[in-house]
Amino acid sequence: MVNDTIADMLTRIRNANLMRNATVSLPTSKMNEKICKILKDEGFITDFSVVAEEKKPYKTLVITLKYTANGDRVLTGLKRISKPGLRITVPVSKLPKVLNGLGIAIVSTSKGVMTDKEARKQNIGGEVLAYVW
């Protein structure tokens, strides 16, 4: 059993992206689904779906990775920031900018999981989960 499901998801996406796989599948959780929704809305992945497979006690999250027309990766980097052993929480004034706005920071706030830009608009801080660029 994996203790840090977010880090596991990011590592699986990173590895599949390096191997230029079309899809990657992993056990689902609500937090992983919310992160995938953000990645889809920001254009880093094509799509994701939750599939209930037979003979498995859990549902599977299937993520379709995105590549350009000539095969280049759209998603170039993923980094886990806040870990179970060391939580990183920031106020709205200290929300990070990833690559001067070219990337996104995924933040868990009291109003849900959102990007750093949305958190600035709503004027709330929270726990910085990951950087994506």
Side-chain angles (χ1 to χ4, degrees):
M1 186 68 196
V2 176
N3 288 334
D4 191 2
T5 58
I6 297 170
D8 181 52
M9 178 184 77
L10 295 178
T11 301
R12 288 183 189 216
I13 291 172
R14 187 182 311 113
N15 290 342
N17 197 27
L18 287 173
M19 295 303 296
R20 298 189 194 281
N21 292 345
T23 62
V24 61
S25 59
L26 58 138
T28 188
S29 72
K30 289 181 183 180
M31 181 67 79
N32 286 351
E33 288 179 41
K34 292 174 186 175
I35 292 172
C36 283
K37 183 176 181 339
I38 290 173
L39 292 176
K40 181 181 175 184
D41 292 344
E42 294 292 321
F44 289 109
I45 62 173
T46 303
D47 199 10
F48 71 97
S49 61
V50 178
V51 179
E53 295 183 22
E54 291 183 23
K55 299 183 182 179
K56 287 193 177 178
Y58 53 86
K59 294 181 181 176
T60 303
L61 183 64
V62 179
I63 302 168
T64 307
L65 300 176
K66 189 174 187 178
Y67 300 98
T68 61
N70 49 343
D72 293 333
R73 299 176 188 97
V74 172
L75 188 63
T76 56
L78 293 160
K79 185 176 181 186
R80 178 79 157 119
I81 303 302
S82 185
K83 300 173 180 145
L86 180 64
R87 301 287 183 189
I88 307 295
T89 56
V90 294
V92 68
S93 61
K94 305 254 182 180
L95 278 171
K97 282 192 174 184
V98 180
L99 296 178
N100 287 329
L102 294 177
I104 61 168
I106 299 174
V107 183
S108 176
T109 66
S110 59
K111 296 192 178 177
V113 180
M114 58 184 71
T115 65
D116 56 329
K117 295 169 192 156
E118 293 173 24
R120 275 191 205 90
K121 280 183 192 174
Q122 295 186 17
N123 200 28
I124 50 177
E127 181 182 352
V128 181
L129 298 176
Y131 292 163
V132 182
W133 66 95

